[in-house]
């Protein structure tokens, strides 16, 4: 009777172990895709930062090109005045404000993607640990059955 119980236990273990590789594969695939989304989100952050810097440079050029009262003299003769004028122009620019909002959104996307990828990586580790644990149970069960068979 104990032998039949062990055989049934082996069947249940076999069924469990046969489903594990698929689940682990799917978890690894999801984690890989999530890491790809992190990379895409980081690229969007870089792209928006480049757009912001381009806008700042363009504004600086426009401010530097301004002339005082129709003369050939620059309107902003020192760096501090130029920087203040650039900051004021950027604060009034709807395009710049939109870029800043896109940057904040892209940075939030990076954080969210990293959290998701980290969770999925943890899921993979958990499934790998679970698979090792079940493998140890199988080894123990096989050893018990072997002892039962030799004891008959």
């Amino acid at each position: 009777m104990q032998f039949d119980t062990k055989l049934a236990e082996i069947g249940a273990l076999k069924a469990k172990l046969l489903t594990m590789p698929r689940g682990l594969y799917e978890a690894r695939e999801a984690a890989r895709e999530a890491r790809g989304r992190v990379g895409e989100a980081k690229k969007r952050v870089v792209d928006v930062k480049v757009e912001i810097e381009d806008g700042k440079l363009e504004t600086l050029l426009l401010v530097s090109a301004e002339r005082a009262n129709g003369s050939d003299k620059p309107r902003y003769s020192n760096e501090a005045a130029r920087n203040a004028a650039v900051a004021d122009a950027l604060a009034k620019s709807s395009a710049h404000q939109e870029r800043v909002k896109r940057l904040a959104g892209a940075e939030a996307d990076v954080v969210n993607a990293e959290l998701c990828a980290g969770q999925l990586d943890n899921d993979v580790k958990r499934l790998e640990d679970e698979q090792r644990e079940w493998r140890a149970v199988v080894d123990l069960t096989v050893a018990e059955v072997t002892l039962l068979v030799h004891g008959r």
Side-chain angles (χ1 to χ4, degrees):
M1 183 67 164
Q2 190 178 15
F3 185 73
D4 292 335
T5 305
K6 284 297 175 186
L7 285 178
E9 193 177 311
I10 288 172
L13 288 172
K14 181 180 173 184
K16 174 70 177 169
L17 287 174
L18 288 175
T19 63
M20 293 186 95
R22 182 72 184 163
L24 188 55
Y25 169 80
E26 290 170 355
R28 285 179 178 152
E29 190 64 21
R32 185 190 61 76
E33 289 172 5
R35 285 188 298 277
R37 287 190 297 274
V38 169
E40 292 167 4
K42 286 182 176 181
K43 184 183 180 320
R44 282 193 304 275
V45 167
V46 169
D47 291 346
V48 174
K49 283 183 176 180
V50 167
E51 287 180 41
I52 288 172
E53 289 304 314
D54 286 348
K56 286 179 180 179
L57 181 58
E58 182 180 338
T59 303
L60 175 63
L61 291 173
L62 290 173
V63 166
S64 296
E66 289 182 29
R67 299 294 169 210
N69 300 327
S71 70
D72 285 340
K73 291 185 178 185
R75 182 169 183 188
Y76 305 102
S77 59
N78 64 47
E79 185 177 353
R82 249 188 326 274
N83 289 342
V86 168
D88 185 51
L90 290 174
K92 294 176 183 174
S93 168
S94 60
H96 178 72
Q97 298 308 314
E98 182 268 333
R99 288 183 199 118
V100 169
K101 286 179 186 175
R102 284 190 11 234
L103 177 60
E107 288 172 337
D109 289 346
V110 168
V111 170
N112 290 333
E114 286 175 337
L115 288 173
C116 181
Q119 181 61 49
L120 291 170
D121 285 338
N122 289 339
D123 289 349
V124 167
K125 289 175 187 169
R126 181 187 52 77
L127 287 171
E128 289 171 342
D129 290 345
E130 185 178 326
Q131 192 172 25
R132 278 191 292 278
E133 290 167 5
W134 278 102
R135 186 70 209 154
V137 169
V138 168
D139 291 343
L140 180 61
T141 304
V142 167
E144 289 175 351
V145 168
T146 302
L147 286 174
L148 285 174
V149 169
H150 289 297
R152 279 187 144 187

